[in-house]
Amino acid sequence: MRIGVPKEIKNNEYRVGLTPASVRELVSHGHQVLVQAYAGTAIGLDDALYAAAGAEIVATASDIFARADMVVKVKEPQAAECAMLRAGQILYTYLHLAPDPEQTAALIKSGAICIAYETITGSNGGLPLLAPMSEVAGRMAIQAGATHLQKEHGGRGLLLGGVPGVAPGHVVILGAGVVGTNALQMAVGLGARVTVIDKNVDRLRQLDLVFGNRISTLYSTASSIEEAVLDADLVIGGVLVPGAAAPKLVTRDHIARMKKGAVVVDVAIDQGGCFETSRATTHAQPTFVVDGVVHYCVANMPGAVARTSTFALNNATIGHAVALANKGWRGALRDSVHLRNGLNVCLGKVTYEAVARDLGLGFTSAETMLA
């Protein structure tokens, strides 16, 4: 198979779909890999490294899309990239379709086979291709929140960990999954007062066993969320419904009654966000203010630490990339129910139920497409 890796074009996105080591792995299986010139240069992966791994360096993205049987990316294809996809071509990347009707329509129109990293499941029931970026984003969320609590960034002028004689800041984390757990570790490390809210009591019990009285845990209800958010200096939104739009847990009324200069970091923004006032931002303009509350809603947070993120992501994605290349999409999806769960759009049909439901579109199962 001929596999193409275009240079990412989303705002301040420096990650790359394949590392030289991943290229070498695919080449060792007899496949041809095309890498767009300078695709990894910004993170120290120059063209010479890719060439040494066996890749062909290609000048333009249009050449990549025209020649590749499978396109491997990091972020969802932008409008110009969607226009270059063709029927029967495999697209293997993050998609986050539920809050994005325009991208979904473009992928349906293309006739491509679109496999989303974020809905591929693992043998333990998790989302192993989403997990590494959730780990990065969870840790970054505390860094970003702490920075924007500084007065020059519009925040309350608060040091999260406090100092002797001065109380620390209060961090509220919505969701005790991968994002929430990594945010929790960072917040506790800084010495903040931390409250974690989730519907999974077993998960809250696990966190309590690990962190003890260094954190507070609350079962998620409208009342517990409201009470915690109104007392918070920093709120991290890390809730996830796989493949579906994120629930709006924090309302506009909550935001209006929060402390002025408080910060919210919406890590769920790729799935539409869990704050009613959220809208996607970029690394170039990461924040906006609503009712005196600073909103950080960058849709590709891990792109800021692109080298770490690229290697972590490739560790998770390369196995399925090799399977798709070796077996073709039909063979690979027939052999793995977990990879099959990643099929979101296929040959003009929406094949992920949550996406179809959230966007009001018809649903065709992956099994039907394979049959």
Side-chain angles (χ1 to χ4, degrees):
M1 183 179 285
R2 186 178 292 132
I3 299 131
V5 183
K7 188 176 187 295
E8 297 291 325
I9 59 173
K10 190 164 184 170
N11 178 277
N12 280 277
E13 183 55 74
Y14 302 110
R15 289 174 289 181
V16 61
L18 294 176
T19 62
S22 294
V23 168
R24 183 178 177 183
E25 189 71 16
L26 286 160
V27 170
S28 73
H29 283 266
H31 305 294
Q32 182 181 1
V33 181
L34 314 174
V35 177
Q36 187 178 348
Y38 310 113
T41 301
I43 57 171
L45 303 177
D46 60 34
D47 293 349
L49 291 173
Y50 282 105
E56 176 186 343
I57 307 303
V58 175
T60 67
S62 58
D63 290 337
I64 295 283
F65 280 86
R67 295 175 58 191
D69 304 305
M70 175 167 67
V71 175
V72 179
K73 282 176 43 62
V74 177
K75 287 306 291 176
E76 70 278 359
Q78 305 301 289
E81 295 172 313
C82 288
M84 291 189 283
L85 288 166
R86 64 177 188 275
Q89 189 173 43
I90 301 168
L91 174 65
Y92 181 51
T93 188
Y94 286 117
L95 292 175
H96 301 290
L97 294 179
D100 194 345
E102 291 81 9
Q103 184 201 168
T104 305
L107 295 182
I108 291 170
K109 181 179 179 181
S110 74
I113 295 97
C114 306
I115 299 170
Y117 295 161
E118 73 273 9
T119 63
I120 294 173
T121 53
S123 56
N124 63 354
L127 300 170
L129 278 68
L130 184 62
M133 296 304 93
S134 295
E135 290 167 349
V136 171
R139 296 181 183 213
M140 287 186 66
I142 298 299
Q143 292 182 188
T147 298
H148 287 89
L149 276 169
Q150 294 172 196
K151 199 64 183 173
E152 71 270 20
H153 293 291
R156 301 190 68 215
L158 188 77
L159 182 66
L160 265 187
V163 294
V166 181
H170 183 198
V171 178
V172 172
I173 299 172
L174 304 176
V178 178
V179 167
T181 300
N182 280 270
L184 166 61
Q185 290 172 338
M186 294 290 284
V188 168
L190 286 175
R193 178 164 68 95
V194 183
T195 301
V196 185
I197 302 177
D198 199 278
K199 283 185 174 292
N200 186 333
V201 176
D202 288 336
R203 181 61 185 148
L204 294 177
R205 188 173 289 114
Q206 290 171 349
L207 292 176
D208 184 72
L209 287 171
V210 174
F211 292 97
N213 60 9
R214 289 182 291 171
I215 67 170
S216 298
T217 59
L218 292 174
Y219 181 77
S220 180
T221 65
S223 294
S224 64
I225 291 171
E226 178 179 34
E227 182 178 350
V229 164
L230 296 186
D231 186 60
D233 300 298
L234 169 61
V235 183
I236 308 297
V239 296
L240 174 69
V241 179
K248 304 296 184 186
L249 298 182
V250 178
T251 68
R252 187 174 295 274
D253 176 64
H254 293 154
I255 295 292
R257 292 188 288 137
M258 284 180 69
K259 299 172 184 176
K260 302 308 176 189
V263 177
V264 299
V265 178
D266 200 341
V267 185
I269 193 64
D270 275 322
Q271 296 295 138
C274 59
F275 300 88
E276 194 174 21
T277 46
S278 290
R279 56 177 170 80
T281 62
T282 67
H283 288 291
Q285 295 182 304
T287 64
F288 59 92
V289 178
V290 176
D291 291 328
V293 175
V294 179
H295 290 56
Y296 182 99
C297 305
V298 175
N300 59 330
M301 287 177 65
V305 287
R307 185 176 174 91
T308 296
S309 298
T310 292
F311 282 91
L313 180 60
N314 269 244
N315 290 341
T317 59
I318 185 60
H320 288 306
V322 170
L324 287 164
N326 285 351
K327 302 175 183 179
W329 70 271
R330 290 182 186 275
L333 268 59
R334 284 195 185 104
D335 287 352
S336 171
V337 64
H338 300 299
L339 182 57
R340 192 156 68 242
N341 288 334
L343 189 67
N344 277 220
V345 175
C346 182
L347 303 176
K349 306 289 186 181
V350 176
T351 53
Y352 198 83
E353 191 169 6
V355 171
R357 181 188 65 240
D358 286 352
L359 295 180
L361 300 170
F363 167 69
T364 304
S365 70
E367 289 76 12
T368 298
M369 299 304 297
L370 290 171

